[in-house]
Structure formats: structure tokens, C-alpha cells
Amino acid sequence: MLRRGRDFIHLPGPTNIPDRILQAMHRPVVDFAGAEFSKMARGCLDELRRVFQTAGPVYAYSANGHGAWEVVLDNLIAPGEHVLMPDTGRFSESWTEMAAALGVHVTKTDAYHDRPIDPAAIEALLSADAGHAIKAVLMVQVETSTGVTHDVAAVRRAIDAAGHPALLLVDAIACLACIDLPMDAWGVDLVVAASQKGLMMPPGMAFVAVGARAQQVAANGGAPRRYWDWRMREGEESYYWFYGTPPIQMMYGLRESLDMLFEEGLPQVFRRHERLAEATRRAVARWGEAGELVFQCQVPEARSNIVTAVRFPSGADPDALRVMCRDRLSVAFGGGIGPFVGQLLRIGHLGDLNEPMLLGALGTLEVAMRASGVPHKGGGVDAAAQYLADTLE
Ligand SMILES: *Cc1c(COP(=O)(O)O)cnc(C)c1O
């Protein structure tokens, strides 16, 4: 069947790439040794510190988020060492599997799949580690597989309350530049992110912001490494910052992305995400008034501002709904992944997004629920529209 018009992406990543970024990237190769590229690339890496809210360096890799995870482990944790990884869902699970494959011992926790990490449990686990074998706590800020926002500052306080020297390393791959993460102010030692989510760029780059303590640990330890070693990314020339040929077009895209974020202002970007997320939650709440749809996250204030994960206790098949939306109605939502396969529909609402895009997506989901007889209360789009009207600035 031939379809016209645009396709819409409401995945929790990759996200919409603004035309401005696409156009900025549409250019021939330049000599990366020349002054123009070097100045531009250096400026991006330096200005990324504003996005990470850190005074420390930000290193760039031609990799996806999984590559950034390996950067963290290789630079900081040697085979045979121990880390603590709260079980938040699919992404903490995959990071745990990677650590195990690299010979790192991982202490898991109870599952926090429908609620935020319990800081008291973290404190207890660290207090029990009297010999300080645990080198780091590795956590995901927004666990994209569940839609739960985990409280980074609370985990920091738990580490401090235990009097434990473990580093705090945060995966903000999904949510950097969507929600607040004042890295230095919250005492976070390292943050990782990737290009294709809040930064609105194509997939293919990863970023690692490194605090002073993490730099110190890396200088004296970590695993045998070379390509992922961030110390290899220092130097005078752009060739060194990427340990080889820079991803030239991606860097022009990043320049445009940073310009767009700073033009809007980070607080305004966070506020826009919060507002569009709340509109989504109003719609879901209305559809589920008699329990036909429920939020995966049971704690209302922890429902994330970048993705809303929904369950269907009525027995409706979220994957059938998702496929209908994508293949018949031109809107791509996320499905359940990892432990949640077949159980969830995930509505992504992050990146380059405005009211009509969101209302279109919510309206489309309502069309699909009607067409496929999924039990729900009508008026979800109306509830979202009312909230957007009430909060229009
Ligand atoms: C998307 C995502 C990842 C993985 O990123 P890739 O670029 O797909 O490797 C890791 N963690 C979180 C929280 C994510 O949302």
C-alpha cells in the first residue's frame, strides 16, 4: 500500500533529526587538519560540558551507546574487580552482561522495573562491603525499557551515607539534554550519552564526560585498553581527539545540535519535555480510567519525561497495536524489550518535538485502539489537549 505524507518517530530513540541538523551535515568532506574544522570540533567538545553540566573533559567516540558503556568499564574497572549495578531493566541488564563478559564481578540488586531504585538498599549493600571491594555504582538515569526515572542525587547520598568510596557512573544515554543532570553539583563521577536521543542527531556517536576522581582512577587502573582509552583522545590536533579520522559530518551536525539547544536554553528544553510528557500521561490516564491501560511505572513522580511505558491489563497485544501504528498509520512507537517483550507499548516523547507532533501521535494511537478493539476510555487526546491549553505560555 502506497502511503503519503511523513512518517513519525515516537521511539525512545533514535529521535527526529531536525532539518537544520540534516542540512548542516549535508556537505563535502573537509580537511580535518585545517583550522576551520579543528576550531569547530574543539568548540563542540568544550561546549558539550555545558550540556553535561561539568567542568571536566568530554570525550567523543564514533560508537553507539554500547560503545560508551565499554569506554566506562575499560577505563575504570579491571577484570576481577567489583561493581554494583542496580537492576533497572533491559539497559542495566545489558550493561551488566557486558561487564561480566569483561571479567568484572557485578553485584545486582532487587529489580526496580516499576519504581525508582531504593537508595536505602544501595546504602545497605555498600555498608556491607566493609573492605571497599566495590569500585563503582553504575546506574541508568532514565531506564528507557521501563520509562522510570531513577534518582541520581539520591543514589549519591546513599553512597555518601555508607561512607563508601565507590565512583558513581551514570548512563544518561536516553535523557541527556532532555532532563536535568547537574553532573558536578550532584557529585557524579562520569556520565555517558549518545548522539541519537536528546541531542537529535543520527546514531553513531557517543560521549563520555569524566570527573576528576574518575580521571584519577583511570590514570592508575582500569583494564588493558587502547582504542577506548580516553587518554588517547587528548592532544593538539583533531586527529587525536577521535584517535583517528574524525566523523566529520557528524561533528557539523553536533555543532548545529548545540546551537539549537543553547538557542532554546537548557531549562526551556527540560520544561518542554516535562510538559509534553505530562500531556502524554494525561492521555494515558484518561484511556485507562477503568484500568484498561496502566503505567509501567507505579510511582507517579518517577514517570519519565522522555518515554511513557504502558501495560494493557485487558490482555490487548501491545505489539499488534505497535505494528498497526507503524505499518498502517505512519507512527513508530516502541515495544517491550528485554524482560518486557510483548508486554509494553512505549511512547517516546523526546528530542525535536512539539505539540502537533505529540497530538498526532496520541490521536493515532487512539485510532489504532479503536480500530483493533483495544478496551480504553475515549477522550485521551482531549485530556492532553486540555493540559496543553492550560499550560500554554
Ligand atoms: C538507547 C539506550 C542505550 C543504548 O544505546 P545504543 O546507542 O543503542 O547502543 C543505553 N542506555 C539507555 C538508557 C538507552 O536509552
Side-chain angles (χ1 to χ4, degrees):
M1 190 188 51
L2 179 65
R3 302 196 57 79
R4 296 287 184 200
R6 282 192 176 238
D7 290 329
F8 292 82
I9 291 287
H10 283 269
L11 303 171
T15 64
N16 297 293
I17 307 174
D19 291 344
R20 273 178 66 176
I21 291 181
L22 289 172
Q23 282 155 11
M25 295 179 65
H26 189 87
R27 63 166 70 218
V29 155
V30 294
D31 178 1
F32 58 79
E36 191 226 309
F37 179 81
S38 294
K39 189 159 175 278
M40 187 276 294
R42 189 69 257 160
C44 286
L45 295 174
D46 289 345
E47 287 174 40
L48 268 174
R49 293 183 299 178
R50 276 173 67 189
V51 180
F52 282 93
Q53 305 188 58
T54 182
V58 178
Y59 300 106
Y61 293 82
S62 299
N64 60 19
H66 284 68
W69 282 347
E70 190 148 338
V71 170
V72 177
L73 292 164
D74 283 356
N75 279 278
L76 296 172
I77 316 291
E81 290 186 335
H82 293 256
V83 299
L84 174 60
M85 189 108 65
D87 174 6
T88 52
R90 161 68 200 281
F91 288 104
S92 74
E93 192 176 278
S94 297
W95 205 2
T96 296
E97 284 166 8
M98 179 185 280
L102 295 171
V104 174
H105 301 292
V106 183
T107 302
K108 282 220 296 188
T109 63
D110 293 343
Y112 301 107
H113 293 177
D114 59 3
R115 64 195 62 245
I117 297 165
D118 175 10
I122 302 301
E123 185 183 335
L125 283 165
L126 291 175
S127 297
D129 177 36
H132 296 167
I134 294 170
K135 299 296 169 201
V137 177
L138 282 67
M139 69 175 286
V140 180
Q141 188 184 20
V142 172
E143 173 54 78
T144 326
S145 66
T146 63
V148 178
T149 300
H150 296 281
D151 189 340
V152 174
V155 172
R156 172 79 263 167
R157 287 193 295 272
I159 298 171
D160 294 344
H164 198 289
L167 296 167
L168 176 57
L169 316 176
V170 176
D171 169 345
I173 293 173
C175 55
L176 183 85
C178 302
I179 68 169
D180 204 13
L181 177 55
M183 176 174 160
D184 289 359
W186 285 0
V188 177
D189 295 299
L190 176 147
V191 175
V192 295
S195 53
Q196 78 274 23
K197 303 198 185 186
L199 293 173
M200 309 174 286
M201 288 169 57
M205 282 196 80
F207 306 99
V208 183
V210 186
R213 278 190 65 219
Q215 282 196 292
Q216 226 170 33
V217 170
N220 303 311
R225 60 194 188 272
R226 186 72 174 176
Y227 183 73
W228 300 120
D229 194 333
W230 58 57
R231 293 170 300 180
M232 297 303 296
R233 281 159 201 263
E234 303 276 2
E236 286 304 304
E237 292 170 29
S238 72
Y239 193 72
Y240 297 112
W241 309 333
F242 301 92
Y243 198 3
T245 305
I248 295 169
Q249 279 71 16
M250 289 289 278
M251 290 305 289
Y252 282 104
L254 177 60
R255 178 64 271 161
E256 198 67 25
S257 160
L258 293 171
D259 286 346
M260 290 178 72
L261 290 171
F262 296 146
E263 276 166 23
E264 187 175 358
L266 284 177
Q268 288 75 17
V269 173
F270 300 155
R271 172 68 193 132
R272 175 166 54 82
H273 280 83
E274 185 187 355
R275 183 166 167 267
L276 295 175
E278 182 57 27
T280 308
R281 291 188 284 262
R282 298 285 173 111
V284 170
R286 173 70 60 82
W287 287 327
E289 244 163 47
E292 307 94 328
L293 279 68
V294 297
F295 294 96
Q296 168 66 18
C297 181
Q298 313 253 302
V299 178
E301 47 299 353
R303 290 174 189 153
S304 91
N305 285 343
I306 67 163
V307 58
T308 297
V310 182
R311 276 184 183 274
F312 296 82
S314 63
D317 177 1
D319 281 329
L321 208 52
R322 179 174 60 80
V323 168
M324 177 184 279
C325 288
R326 185 189 61 201
D327 296 346
R328 296 280 292 104
L329 294 160
S330 305
V331 180
F333 294 110
I337 54 173
F340 317 104
V341 167
Q343 299 174 25
L344 299 177
L345 185 81
R346 295 179 305 141
I347 307 168
H349 33 75
L350 71 158
D352 189 44
L353 195 68
N354 61 21
E355 293 93 336
M357 293 158 89
L358 182 74
L359 288 168
L362 297 174
T364 301
L365 184 52
E366 204 163 310
V367 170
M369 288 195 291
R370 286 177 195 230
S372 53
V374 169
H376 67 285
K377 174 154 186 192
V381 176
D382 191 56
Q386 188 61 54
Y387 175 77
L388 291 173
D390 292 344
T391 55
L392 196 60
E393 283 157 17

